[in-house]
């Protein structure tokens, strides 16, 4: 596995590191496969894992818009038109960019960026928390539509060292 775990309790969900983070290969898909919505934040985590990870997006087009911001933050991440998985893919042979390769671990650094969509914006927040320095995220109201009062929730979790209020 990746070297992380999850616990579900009555009062919430706890995600934690369980040793050294390791690279993984995965494909998104419809339930019960890996959710396409979790693909962008997982990519941020994979920037901190040792080795080469591959994510093959088989559900939505334009899901890889987060990659450019991660690249500017210092991640070694490349997008591809090739199918990097083994399952059926509606994008096969289409010339559509739908796979990503991430080499890690890398140190992420703060940048100024703009939110292209909700899921990419959430991954930008996760990257900002992991990054050295300050990140300014413009257009973050897009994120608030899907994650109500996310800045308060993250500050409540202890991320007060990140200037999250500055992004909204």
């Amino acid at each position: 596995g990746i070297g992380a775990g999850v616990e579900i309790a009555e009062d919430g969900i706890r995600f934690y590191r369980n040793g050294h983070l390791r690279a993984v290969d995965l494909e998104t898909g419809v339930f019960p496969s890996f959710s396409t919505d979790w693909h962008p934040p997982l990519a941020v985590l994979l920037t901190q894992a040792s080795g080469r990870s591959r994510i093959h997006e088989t559900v939505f087009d334009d899901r890889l818009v987060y990659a450019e911001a991660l690249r500017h933050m210092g991640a070694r991440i490349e997008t591809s038109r090739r199918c990097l998985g083994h399952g059926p893919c509606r994008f096969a042979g289409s010339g559509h960019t739908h796979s990503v390769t991430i080499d890690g671990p890398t140190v992420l650094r703060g940048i100024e960026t703009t939110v292209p969509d909700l899921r990419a914006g959430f991954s930008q927040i996760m990257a900002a928390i992991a990054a050295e320095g300050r990140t300014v995220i413009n257009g973050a109201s897009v994120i608030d539509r899907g994650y109500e009062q996310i800045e308060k929730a993250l500050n409540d979790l202890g991320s007060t060292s990140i200037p999250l209020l500055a992004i909204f």
Side-chain angles (χ1 to χ4, degrees):
I2 195 170
V6 62
E7 291 176 357
I8 300 174
E10 286 183 26
D11 61 342
I13 301 172
R14 177 179 169 251
F15 296 93
Y16 59 91
R17 185 179 228 169
N18 188 17
H20 189 71
L21 294 176
R22 294 174 298 280
V24 296
D25 290 348
L26 67 91
E27 282 184 300
T28 64
V30 296
F31 182 81
S33 295
F34 188 84
S35 172
T36 186
D37 290 350
W38 283 101
H39 152 194
L42 179 69
V44 174
L45 178 68
L46 293 174
T47 68
Q48 303 307 301
S50 293
R52 175 170 281 179
S53 297
R54 292 172 192 85
I55 301 174
H56 182 219
E57 173 61 49
T58 68
V59 179
F60 287 111
D61 53 5
D62 282 342
R63 188 60 84 198
L64 304 180
V65 295
Y66 66 86
E68 182 178 351
L70 287 180
R71 193 174 305 113
H72 288 296
M73 293 180 89
R76 294 187 313 260
I77 183 168
E78 296 298 327
T79 57
S80 174
R81 292 180 173 94
R82 294 183 306 121
C83 295
L84 297 180
H86 303 292
C89 178
R90 70 187 193 105
F91 302 118
S94 70
H96 183 77
T97 301
H98 66 286
S99 294
V100 66
T101 303
I102 304 164
D103 290 306
T106 56
V107 174
L108 299 178
R109 62 186 178 278
I111 62 167
E112 182 167 348
T113 186
T114 301
V115 173
D117 67 30
L118 173 63
R119 284 153 192 88
F122 183 75
S123 71
Q124 289 171 328
I125 289 176
M126 297 299 100
I129 291 170
E132 295 178 354
R134 180 180 173 161
T135 297
V136 175
I137 301 175
N138 298 305
S141 60
V142 171
I143 302 166
D144 212 30
R145 287 188 315 198
Y147 301 95
E148 186 176 341
Q149 297 182 349
I150 191 168
E151 67 279 12
K152 180 184 179 322
L154 292 172
N155 284 329
D156 289 349
L157 289 171
S159 64
T160 55
S161 62
I162 306 298
L164 293 173
L165 294 176
I167 66 174
F168 289 89

